[in-house]
Amino acid sequence: MALLEIKDLHACVGEKEILKGVNLCFEPGEVHAIMGPNGCGKSTLSAVIAGHPSFQITQGDILFKGQSILNQTPDVRANKGIFLAFQHPVELPGVGLAQFLKTALNAKRSFLGQAQMDGVQFMKHMNLRAKALGITPDMLKRPVNVGFSGGEKKRLETFQMAMLEPDFCILDEMDSGLDVDALKVVGQGLSVMREPNRSFMIITHHDDLLQYIQPDKVSIMRDGQIVTTGGVDLVHQVEEQGYDHFR
Amino acid sequence: MIISDNRFFLSSTAGVVVERPASSKWIFQVSENGFLQGDFLQVNGDLDISVLLNGIDAKCELNCGYLLNDNNKINIKIHVEHKCSKTISNQQIRGLATGNGEACFNGTITIPHNSQKCDGHQNHRAVILSDTARVLSVPQLEIWADDVKCAHGSAIGPLNKEQLFYLQTRGLTESQARKILLSSFFNHFSSMEFDGIIQDWMAHYV
Protein backbone atom coordinates (compact mmCIF):
# COMPACT_ATOMS: atom_id res chain seq x y z
CA MET A 1 0.00 0.00 0.00
CA ALA A 2 1.18 3.50 -0.81
CA LEU A 3 2.15 5.63 2.18
CA LEU A 4 0.55 8.71 0.68
CA GLU A 5 -1.65 8.95 -2.35
CA ILE A 6 -2.98 12.10 -3.97
CA LYS A 7 -5.95 11.55 -6.26
CA ASP A 8 -7.19 14.13 -8.74
CA LEU A 9 -6.67 16.92 -6.22
CA HIS A 10 -8.15 20.33 -6.96
CA ALA A 11 -7.55 23.22 -4.56
CA CYS A 12 -8.43 26.91 -4.62
CA VAL A 13 -7.54 30.06 -2.81
CA GLY A 14 -10.65 32.23 -2.93
CA GLU A 15 -11.88 32.03 -6.52
CA LYS A 16 -8.52 31.03 -7.95
CA GLU A 17 -7.86 27.37 -8.68
CA ILE A 18 -4.22 26.49 -8.07
CA LEU A 19 -4.16 22.71 -8.04
CA LYS A 20 -5.98 21.38 -11.10
CA GLY A 21 -6.06 17.64 -10.69
CA VAL A 22 -2.83 16.45 -9.07
CA ASN A 23 -2.15 12.73 -9.02
CA LEU A 24 0.85 11.45 -7.07
CA CYS A 25 1.77 8.31 -5.22
CA PHE A 26 4.48 7.84 -2.59
CA GLU A 27 5.54 4.30 -1.70
CA PRO A 28 7.09 3.66 1.74
CA GLY A 29 10.79 4.52 1.71
CA GLU A 30 10.54 6.44 -1.54
CA VAL A 31 12.26 9.75 -2.19
CA HIS A 32 10.23 11.70 -4.72
CA ALA A 33 11.41 15.07 -6.03
CA ILE A 34 8.89 17.57 -7.34
CA MET A 35 10.20 20.21 -9.71
CA GLY A 36 8.44 22.94 -11.59
CA PRO A 37 8.56 26.61 -12.53
CA ASN A 38 7.71 29.32 -10.01
CA GLY A 39 3.98 29.62 -9.34
CA CYS A 40 3.06 26.16 -10.66
CA GLY A 41 1.56 25.10 -7.31
CA LYS A 42 4.37 23.18 -5.58
CA SER A 43 4.20 25.10 -2.32
CA THR A 44 0.40 25.03 -2.40
CA LEU A 45 0.53 21.27 -2.76
CA SER A 46 2.77 20.94 0.30
CA ALA A 47 0.59 23.32 2.35
CA VAL A 48 -2.56 21.43 1.32
CA ILE A 49 -1.09 18.08 2.37
CA ALA A 50 -0.20 19.60 5.75
CA GLY A 51 -3.74 21.01 6.10
CA HIS A 52 -3.35 24.76 5.67
CA PRO A 53 -6.77 26.34 6.34
CA SER A 54 -6.50 28.97 3.57
CA PHE A 55 -7.01 26.45 0.76
CA GLN A 56 -10.33 24.88 -0.16
CA ILE A 57 -10.27 21.41 -1.62
CA THR A 58 -12.90 21.30 -4.36
CA GLN A 59 -12.30 17.81 -5.71
CA GLY A 60 -10.18 14.73 -5.16
CA ASP A 61 -8.64 13.15 -2.09
CA ILE A 62 -5.42 12.63 -0.12
CA LEU A 63 -4.97 9.21 1.44
CA PHE A 64 -2.36 8.70 4.14
CA LYS A 65 -1.78 5.08 5.17
CA GLY A 66 -4.97 4.26 3.29
CA GLN A 67 -7.24 6.80 5.01
CA SER A 68 -8.46 10.16 3.79
CA ILE A 69 -6.96 13.04 5.75
CA LEU A 70 -8.92 15.84 4.14
CA ASN A 71 -11.18 16.33 7.14
CA GLN A 72 -8.34 16.26 9.64
CA THR A 73 -6.74 19.28 11.28
CA PRO A 74 -3.03 19.97 10.72
CA ASP A 75 -2.10 18.71 14.20
CA VAL A 76 -3.80 15.34 13.64
CA ARG A 77 -2.02 14.97 10.29
CA ALA A 78 1.28 15.86 11.99
CA ASN A 79 0.76 13.39 14.79
CA LYS A 80 -0.11 10.67 12.28
CA GLY A 81 3.32 11.24 10.75
CA ILE A 82 3.25 14.07 8.20
CA PHE A 83 5.89 16.76 8.57
CA LEU A 84 6.22 19.95 6.54
CA ALA A 85 9.58 21.69 6.49
CA PHE A 86 8.69 25.26 5.52
CA GLN A 87 10.26 27.26 2.75
CA HIS A 88 9.89 30.34 4.95
CA PRO A 89 9.62 29.24 8.60
CA VAL A 90 7.74 31.82 10.70
CA GLU A 91 9.33 33.46 13.71
CA LEU A 92 7.83 32.72 17.11
CA PRO A 93 9.04 35.47 19.45
CA GLY A 94 9.07 34.38 23.08
CA VAL A 95 8.64 30.67 22.29
CA GLY A 96 11.79 28.78 23.33
CA LEU A 97 12.80 26.07 20.86
CA ALA A 98 13.54 23.30 23.36
CA GLN A 99 10.33 23.83 25.34
CA PHE A 100 8.28 23.95 22.17
CA LEU A 101 9.84 20.74 20.84
CA LYS A 102 9.19 18.95 24.11
CA THR A 103 5.52 19.96 23.94
CA ALA A 104 5.34 18.86 20.30
CA LEU A 105 7.08 15.55 20.90
CA ASN A 106 4.87 14.72 23.86
CA ALA A 107 1.75 15.77 21.92
CA LYS A 108 2.68 13.19 19.30
CA ARG A 109 3.46 10.54 21.91
CA SER A 110 0.17 11.03 23.68
CA PHE A 111 -1.65 10.91 20.33
CA LEU A 112 0.03 7.55 19.63
CA GLY A 113 -0.74 6.30 23.14
CA GLN A 114 2.93 6.29 24.17
CA ALA A 115 4.31 7.40 27.55
CA GLN A 116 5.41 11.02 27.90
CA MET A 117 9.13 11.73 27.68
CA ASP A 118 10.56 13.13 30.89
CA GLY A 119 13.17 15.88 31.00
CA VAL A 120 16.18 13.57 30.97
CA GLN A 121 14.94 11.36 28.13
CA PHE A 122 14.04 14.42 26.14
CA MET A 123 17.45 16.05 26.62
CA LYS A 124 19.18 12.87 25.42
CA HIS A 125 16.89 12.61 22.41
CA MET A 126 17.48 16.28 21.60
CA ASN A 127 21.21 16.61 22.23
CA LEU A 128 22.04 13.66 19.99
CA ARG A 129 20.16 15.18 17.06
CA ALA A 130 21.26 18.73 17.75
CA LYS A 131 24.90 17.72 17.64
CA ALA A 132 24.51 15.94 14.31
CA LEU A 133 23.04 19.07 12.74
CA GLY A 134 25.35 21.59 14.35
CA ILE A 135 22.58 23.10 16.51
CA THR A 136 24.33 24.77 19.45
CA PRO A 137 22.95 24.88 23.02
CA ASP A 138 22.57 28.63 22.52
CA MET A 139 20.28 28.08 19.51
CA LEU A 140 18.13 25.70 21.56
CA LYS A 141 17.50 28.40 24.14
CA ARG A 142 16.59 31.08 21.64
CA PRO A 143 13.02 31.71 20.51
CA VAL A 144 12.01 29.63 17.48
CA ASN A 145 13.45 31.10 14.25
CA VAL A 146 13.84 34.60 15.74
CA GLY A 147 17.00 36.29 14.52
CA PHE A 148 18.20 33.14 12.74
CA SER A 149 19.84 33.40 9.34
CA GLY A 150 18.21 31.71 6.34
CA GLY A 151 20.62 28.79 6.61
CA GLU A 152 20.08 28.39 10.34
CA LYS A 153 16.31 28.34 9.85
CA LYS A 154 16.62 25.50 7.32
CA ARG A 155 18.89 23.61 9.68
CA LEU A 156 16.31 24.06 12.44
CA GLU A 157 13.57 22.69 10.20
CA THR A 158 15.71 19.61 9.54
CA PHE A 159 16.39 19.35 13.26
CA GLN A 160 12.68 19.50 14.14
CA MET A 161 12.05 16.79 11.57
CA ALA A 162 14.75 14.60 13.10
CA MET A 163 13.22 15.19 16.54
CA LEU A 164 9.66 14.28 15.56
CA GLU A 165 10.64 11.29 13.36
CA PRO A 166 7.77 11.56 10.86
CA ASP A 167 6.86 8.93 8.26
CA PHE A 168 6.22 11.40 5.47
CA CYS A 169 8.53 14.40 5.12
CA ILE A 170 7.66 17.31 2.86
CA LEU A 171 10.63 19.57 2.17
CA ASP A 172 9.57 22.81 0.54
CA GLU A 173 12.64 24.32 -1.13
CA MET A 174 14.87 23.23 1.69
CA ASP A 175 17.94 24.10 -0.37
CA SER A 176 17.01 27.66 -1.33
CA GLY A 177 19.32 30.26 0.14
CA LEU A 178 21.81 27.76 1.57
CA ASP A 179 25.56 28.12 1.14
CA VAL A 180 27.58 25.01 0.25
CA ASP A 181 28.48 24.20 3.86
CA ALA A 182 24.92 24.60 5.16
CA LEU A 183 23.67 22.53 2.21
CA LYS A 184 26.06 19.76 3.19
CA VAL A 185 24.83 19.77 6.81
CA VAL A 186 21.17 19.70 5.75
CA GLY A 187 21.84 17.14 3.00
CA GLN A 188 23.68 14.79 5.33
CA GLY A 189 21.02 15.31 8.00
CA LEU A 190 18.41 14.17 5.52
CA SER A 191 20.34 11.25 4.14
CA VAL A 192 20.72 9.67 7.60
CA MET A 193 16.95 9.92 8.03
CA ARG A 194 16.33 7.83 4.95
CA GLU A 195 14.65 4.64 6.13
CA PRO A 196 12.59 1.85 4.52
CA ASN A 197 9.34 3.17 6.02
CA ARG A 198 9.94 6.88 5.62
CA SER A 199 9.12 8.74 2.42
CA PHE A 200 10.23 12.16 1.27
CA MET A 201 8.60 14.67 -1.02
CA ILE A 202 11.34 17.11 -1.97
CA ILE A 203 10.38 20.32 -3.70
CA THR A 204 13.42 21.83 -5.34
CA HIS A 205 14.76 23.82 -8.27
CA HIS A 206 18.25 22.29 -8.43
CA ASP A 207 20.01 18.99 -8.09
CA ASP A 208 22.24 20.30 -5.23
CA LEU A 209 20.25 18.75 -2.38
CA LEU A 210 19.44 15.66 -4.43
CA GLN A 211 23.14 14.79 -4.56
CA TYR A 212 22.86 13.97 -0.86
CA ILE A 213 19.51 12.23 -1.02
CA GLN A 214 19.14 10.55 -4.38
CA PRO A 215 15.49 10.51 -5.53
CA ASP A 216 13.80 7.33 -6.72
CA LYS A 217 11.34 9.35 -8.75
CA VAL A 218 11.12 12.85 -10.12
CA SER A 219 7.88 14.56 -11.12
CA ILE A 220 7.50 17.75 -13.07
CA MET A 221 4.63 20.04 -12.15
CA ARG A 222 3.20 22.70 -14.43
CA ASP A 223 0.15 24.85 -13.96
CA GLY A 224 -1.31 22.86 -11.09
CA GLN A 225 -0.79 19.40 -12.57
CA ILE A 226 1.89 16.73 -12.70
CA VAL A 227 2.94 16.51 -16.35
CA THR A 228 5.71 13.91 -16.23
CA THR A 229 7.12 11.41 -13.78
CA GLY A 230 10.42 9.69 -14.34
CA GLY A 231 13.83 8.90 -12.92
CA VAL A 232 16.68 11.09 -11.78
CA ASP A 233 17.63 11.88 -15.38
CA LEU A 234 14.65 14.29 -15.44
CA VAL A 235 16.56 16.53 -13.02
CA HIS A 236 19.41 16.85 -15.49
CA GLN A 237 17.00 17.44 -18.34
CA VAL A 238 15.45 20.32 -16.40
CA GLU A 239 18.85 21.77 -15.55
CA GLU A 240 19.89 21.69 -19.21
CA GLN A 241 16.70 22.57 -21.04
CA GLY A 242 14.40 24.31 -18.54
CA TYR A 243 10.70 23.53 -18.19
CA ASP A 244 9.50 24.65 -21.59
CA HIS A 245 9.40 21.30 -23.28
CA PHE A 246 7.54 19.59 -20.41
CA ARG A 247 3.89 19.98 -21.27
CA MET B 1 -13.59 34.88 37.46
CA ILE B 2 -12.56 37.97 39.37
CA ILE B 3 -9.01 39.09 39.93
CA SER B 4 -9.48 41.32 42.92
CA ASP B 5 -6.93 43.98 42.17
CA ASN B 6 -4.34 45.14 39.74
CA ARG B 7 -0.88 43.82 40.44
CA PHE B 8 2.56 45.32 40.49
CA PHE B 9 6.04 44.08 41.26
CA LEU B 10 8.99 46.42 41.62
CA SER B 11 12.16 44.38 41.13
CA SER B 12 14.56 47.33 41.28
CA THR B 13 14.14 50.74 42.84
CA ALA B 14 17.82 51.55 43.29
CA GLY B 15 18.13 55.33 43.42
CA VAL B 16 14.40 55.78 42.91
CA VAL B 17 11.93 57.84 44.93
CA VAL B 18 8.53 56.22 44.68
CA GLU B 19 5.32 58.16 45.24
CA ARG B 20 1.86 56.69 45.03
CA PRO B 21 -0.64 59.51 45.45
CA ALA B 22 -3.55 57.19 44.60
CA SER B 23 -3.82 53.41 44.22
CA SER B 24 -3.80 53.75 40.43
CA LYS B 25 -1.18 56.48 40.19
CA TRP B 26 2.59 56.11 40.40
CA ILE B 27 5.37 58.69 40.21
CA PHE B 28 8.94 57.47 40.02
CA GLN B 29 11.85 59.90 40.34
CA VAL B 30 15.03 58.19 39.18
CA SER B 31 18.29 59.87 40.19
CA GLU B 32 21.81 59.59 38.69
CA ASN B 33 22.74 55.94 38.01
CA GLY B 34 19.39 54.87 39.44
CA PHE B 35 17.52 51.90 38.01
CA LEU B 36 13.80 51.38 38.07
CA GLN B 37 12.44 48.02 36.99
CA GLY B 38 8.76 47.37 37.44
CA ASP B 39 6.05 44.99 36.27
CA PHE B 40 2.41 46.03 36.23
CA LEU B 41 -0.55 43.83 35.40
CA GLN B 42 -3.88 45.55 34.88
CA VAL B 43 -7.23 43.76 34.73
CA ASN B 44 -9.58 46.67 35.14
CA GLY B 45 -9.64 50.42 35.71
CA ASP B 46 -6.92 53.02 35.43
CA LEU B 47 -3.15 52.91 35.67
CA ASP B 48 -1.20 56.13 35.48
CA ILE B 49 2.60 55.99 35.63
CA SER B 50 5.01 58.90 35.44
CA VAL B 51 8.74 58.30 35.31
CA LEU B 52 11.17 61.17 35.64
CA LEU B 53 14.73 60.28 34.72
CA ASN B 54 16.46 63.04 36.66
CA GLY B 55 20.19 62.21 36.56
CA ILE B 56 22.84 60.98 34.13
CA ASP B 57 22.65 57.23 33.43
CA ALA B 58 19.27 56.89 35.09
CA LYS B 59 17.46 53.91 33.62
CA CYS B 60 13.96 52.51 33.65
CA GLU B 61 12.43 49.31 32.42
CA LEU B 62 8.66 49.10 32.58
CA ASN B 63 6.78 45.95 31.71
CA CYS B 64 3.04 46.36 31.57
CA GLY B 65 0.40 43.84 30.73
CA TYR B 66 -3.34 43.99 30.61
CA LEU B 67 -6.05 41.38 30.44
CA LEU B 68 -9.38 42.68 29.26
CA ASN B 69 -12.66 40.80 29.45
CA ASP B 70 -16.45 41.22 29.77
CA ASN B 71 -17.42 44.88 29.84
CA ASN B 72 -14.28 46.04 31.63
CA LYS B 73 -12.51 49.24 30.79
CA ILE B 74 -8.78 49.64 31.12
CA ASN B 75 -6.99 52.91 30.77
CA ILE B 76 -3.20 52.89 30.85
CA LYS B 77 -1.25 56.09 30.75
CA ILE B 78 2.54 56.09 30.87
CA HIS B 79 4.71 59.15 30.64
CA VAL B 80 8.49 58.87 30.65
CA GLU B 81 10.47 62.09 30.74
CA HIS B 82 14.20 62.02 30.03
CA LYS B 83 15.06 65.10 32.11
CA CYS B 84 18.80 64.56 31.85
CA SER B 85 21.31 63.45 29.19
CA LYS B 86 22.36 59.82 28.79
CA THR B 87 19.19 58.41 30.29
CA ILE B 88 17.63 55.19 29.06
CA SER B 89 14.03 53.99 29.07
CA ASN B 90 12.36 50.85 27.82
CA GLN B 91 8.63 50.20 28.00
CA GLN B 92 7.02 46.95 26.90
CA ILE B 93 3.25 46.86 26.99
CA ARG B 94 1.29 43.72 26.12
CA GLY B 95 -2.43 43.18 26.16
CA LEU B 96 -5.05 40.52 25.53
CA ALA B 97 -8.58 41.67 24.90
CA THR B 98 -11.80 39.70 24.74
CA GLY B 99 -15.52 40.16 25.50
CA ASN B 100 -16.90 43.66 25.06
CA GLY B 101 -14.04 45.32 26.86
CA GLU B 102 -12.28 48.48 25.89
CA ALA B 103 -8.63 49.29 26.56
CA CYS B 104 -6.80 52.48 25.89
CA PHE B 105 -3.04 52.87 26.02
CA ASN B 106 -1.61 56.33 26.02
CA GLY B 107 2.17 56.43 26.14
CA THR B 108 4.46 59.41 25.85
CA ILE B 109 8.23 59.74 25.83
CA THR B 110 9.48 63.28 26.31
CA ILE B 111 13.07 64.31 25.62
CA PRO B 112 13.65 68.05 26.27
CA HIS B 113 16.22 70.30 24.51
CA ASN B 114 19.16 69.73 26.77
CA SER B 115 18.83 65.97 27.20
CA GLN B 116 21.27 64.60 24.65
CA LYS B 117 22.39 60.97 24.05
CA CYS B 118 19.19 59.56 25.48
CA ASP B 119 17.71 56.23 24.42
CA GLY B 120 13.97 55.70 24.67
CA HIS B 121 11.91 52.67 23.57
CA GLN B 122 8.24 51.96 23.74
CA ASN B 123 6.51 48.93 22.30
CA HIS B 124 2.83 48.12 22.61
CA ARG B 125 1.29 44.94 21.27
CA ALA B 126 -2.19 43.65 21.77
CA VAL B 127 -4.08 40.58 20.61
CA ILE B 128 -7.82 40.89 20.11
CA LEU B 129 -9.63 37.65 20.83
CA SER B 130 -13.25 38.63 20.22
CA ASP B 131 -15.17 40.56 17.59
CA THR B 132 -16.35 43.17 20.04
CA ALA B 133 -13.31 43.98 22.20
CA ARG B 134 -11.62 47.29 21.43
CA VAL B 135 -8.07 48.47 21.95
CA LEU B 136 -6.96 52.00 21.29
CA SER B 137 -3.28 52.91 21.17
CA VAL B 138 -1.91 56.44 21.32
CA PRO B 139 1.88 56.32 21.27
CA GLN B 140 3.57 59.71 21.32
CA LEU B 141 7.14 60.93 21.14
CA GLU B 142 7.94 64.51 22.12
CA ILE B 143 11.55 64.99 21.15
CA TRP B 144 13.27 68.35 21.30
CA ALA B 145 16.90 67.24 21.55
CA ASP B 146 18.71 66.30 18.32
CA ASP B 147 21.23 63.65 19.37
CA VAL B 148 19.00 60.90 20.74
CA LYS B 149 17.69 57.45 19.88
CA CYS B 150 13.98 56.96 20.30
CA ALA B 151 11.60 54.39 18.90
CA HIS B 152 8.04 53.33 19.38
CA GLY B 153 5.91 50.62 17.91
CA SER B 154 2.33 49.52 18.24
CA ALA B 155 0.61 46.47 16.79
CA ILE B 156 -2.94 45.36 17.47
CA GLY B 157 -4.64 42.44 15.80
CA PRO B 158 -5.78 38.84 16.00
CA LEU B 159 -3.33 35.97 16.52
CA ASN B 160 -1.09 35.40 13.54
CA LYS B 161 -2.59 32.56 11.46
CA GLU B 162 0.73 31.49 9.99
CA GLN B 163 2.23 31.12 13.48
CA LEU B 164 -0.78 29.03 14.53
CA PHE B 165 -0.45 26.84 11.44
CA TYR B 166 3.29 26.37 12.00
CA LEU B 167 2.71 25.15 15.55
CA GLN B 168 -0.11 22.87 14.41
CA THR B 169 2.11 21.25 11.77
CA ARG B 170 4.34 20.27 14.70
CA GLY B 171 1.45 18.39 16.30
CA LEU B 172 0.01 20.96 18.71
CA THR B 173 -3.75 21.37 18.75
CA GLU B 174 -5.10 24.80 17.87
CA SER B 175 -5.87 25.42 21.51
CA GLN B 176 -2.33 24.41 22.62
CA ALA B 177 -0.87 26.59 19.88
CA ARG B 178 -2.96 29.58 20.97
CA LYS B 179 -1.90 29.15 24.57
CA ILE B 180 1.80 28.91 23.68
CA LEU B 181 1.61 32.04 21.52
CA LEU B 182 -0.36 34.04 24.07
CA SER B 183 1.82 33.00 27.03
CA SER B 184 4.96 33.86 25.09
CA PHE B 185 3.52 37.31 24.76
CA PHE B 186 4.08 38.01 28.44
CA ASN B 187 7.46 36.44 29.04
CA HIS B 188 9.12 39.82 29.62
CA PHE B 189 7.64 39.89 33.13
CA SER B 190 10.09 39.10 35.89
CA SER B 191 7.40 38.27 38.46
CA MET B 192 6.52 34.56 38.57
CA GLU B 193 3.31 35.44 40.38
CA PHE B 194 1.95 37.07 37.22
CA ASP B 195 2.37 33.85 35.24
CA GLY B 196 -0.21 32.14 37.40
CA ILE B 197 -2.69 34.99 37.00
CA ILE B 198 -2.21 35.05 33.23
CA GLN B 199 -2.60 31.26 32.94
CA ASP B 200 -5.79 31.35 35.04
CA TRP B 201 -7.15 34.17 32.94
CA MET B 202 -6.40 32.32 29.70
CA ALA B 203 -7.93 29.10 31.00
CA HIS B 204 -11.11 31.05 31.67
CA TYR B 205 -11.35 33.41 28.72
CA VAL B 206 -9.38 31.95 25.80
Side-chain angles (χ1 to χ4, degrees), chain B residues 52-72:
Chain B
L52 303 166
L53 299 168
N54 292 330
I56 285 183
D57 289 328
K59 241 195 246 179
C60 86
E61 241 172 59
L62 291 179
N63 297 314
C64 290
Y66 58 88
L67 304 169
L68 182 70
N69 52 268
D70 298 325
N71 290 311
N72 289 356

Side-chain angles (χ1 to χ4, degrees), chain A residues 9 11 16-20 22 24 34-49 55 172-173 201 203 205 221-226:
Chain A
L9 189 68
K16 192 171 187 237
E17 187 173 51
I18 298 175
L19 301 182
K20 302 170 182 173
V22 175
L24 275 171
I34 312 282
M35 303 182 82
N38 296 325
C40 73
K42 305 184 296 296
S43 289
T44 299
L45 178 62
S46 58
V48 164
I49 298 173
F55 301 98
D172 190 1
E173 296 200 25
M201 170 174 143
I203 294 173
H205 284 295
M221 192 169 182
R222 287 207 68 160
D223 194 27
Q225 287 181 326
I226 301 296

Side-chain angles (χ1 to χ4, degrees), chain A residues 106-123:
Chain A
N106 278 331
K108 182 172 183 176
R109 292 177 73 88
S110 86
F111 181 88
L112 297 174
Q114 297 168 342
Q116 299 283 291
M117 259 196 195
D118 65 26
V120 178
Q121 289 170 318
F122 175 75
M123 289 305 280

Side-chain angles (χ1 to χ4, degrees), chain A:
Chain A
M1 184 179 62
L3 181 68
L4 188 124
E5 205 178 344
I6 300 170
K7 289 180 173 171
D8 190 29
L9 189 68
H10 293 248
C12 307
V13 146
E15 298 285 291
K16 192 171 187 237
E17 187 173 51
I18 298 175
L19 301 182
K20 302 170 182 173
V22 175
N23 289 292
L24 275 171
C25 185
F26 299 83
E27 298 299 330
E30 189 175 271
V31 174
H32 194 143
I34 312 282
M35 303 182 82
N38 296 325
C40 73
K42 305 184 296 296
S43 289
T44 299
L45 178 62
S46 58
V48 164
I49 298 173
H52 197 294
S54 300
F55 301 98
Q56 299 90 44
I57 312 297
T58 50
Q59 201 179 313
D61 206 349
I62 305 174
L63 305 178
F64 185 59
K65 297 177 184 172
Q67 289 180 327
S68 174
I69 54 167
L70 286 189
N71 291 324
Q72 288 168 346
T73 51
D75 52 298
V76 172
R77 299 183 195 200
N79 288 329
K80 283 190 162 176
I82 295 175
F83 183 93
L84 168 62
F86 285 69
Q87 183 182 2
H88 304 292
V90 290
E91 300 191 350
L92 303 174
V95 181
L97 179 64
Q99 188 55 44
F100 149 63
L101 277 176
K102 192 172 174 216
T103 311
L105 195 61
N106 278 331
K108 182 172 183 176
R109 292 177 73 88
S110 86
F111 181 88
L112 297 174
Q114 297 168 342
Q116 299 283 291
M117 259 196 195
D118 65 26
V120 178
Q121 289 170 318
F122 175 75
M123 289 305 280
K124 270 190 191 162
H125 183 85
M126 180 171 73
N127 290 340
L128 195 72
R129 286 157 182 81
K131 214 173 167 187
L133 286 162
I135 308 285
T136 61
D138 167 62
M139 287 166 83
L140 294 171
K141 280 184 206 144
R142 278 158 60 184
V144 181
N145 295 325
V146 177
F148 284 71
S149 71
E152 283 174 332
K153 283 182 186 170
K154 296 293 166 84
R155 238 155 68 204
L156 274 190
E157 293 290 290
T158 317
F159 170 59
Q160 291 181 37
M161 193 163 80
M163 288 291 289
L164 295 171
E165 299 178 322
D167 298 321
F168 187 72
C169 309
I170 307 164
L171 313 179
D172 190 1
E173 296 200 25
M174 200 63 171
D175 46 359
S176 67
L178 288 186
D179 65 38
V180 283
D181 295 324
L183 184 75
K184 193 174 169 187
V185 172
V186 168
Q188 286 172 345
L190 292 177
S191 72
V192 298
M193 285 190 68
R194 195 166 186 172
E195 280 181 16
N197 291 322
R198 179 175 292 142
S199 309
F200 291 83
M201 170 174 143
I202 302 181
I203 294 173
T204 186
H205 284 295
H206 316 281
D207 72 344
D208 301 347
L209 188 64
L210 303 177
Q211 312 238 335
Y212 293 96
I213 181 162
Q214 180 90 10
D216 303 299
K217 280 190 204 161
V218 178
S219 288
I220 308 292
M221 192 169 182
R222 287 207 68 160
D223 194 27
Q225 287 181 326
I226 301 296
V227 289
T228 312
T229 297
V232 75
D233 50 312
L234 273 182
V235 181
H236 308 299
Q237 236 182 72
V238 168
E239 294 238 316
E240 280 162 25
Q241 301 165 4
Y243 291 111
D244 264 357
H245 69 286
F246 293 104
R247 299 240 175 232

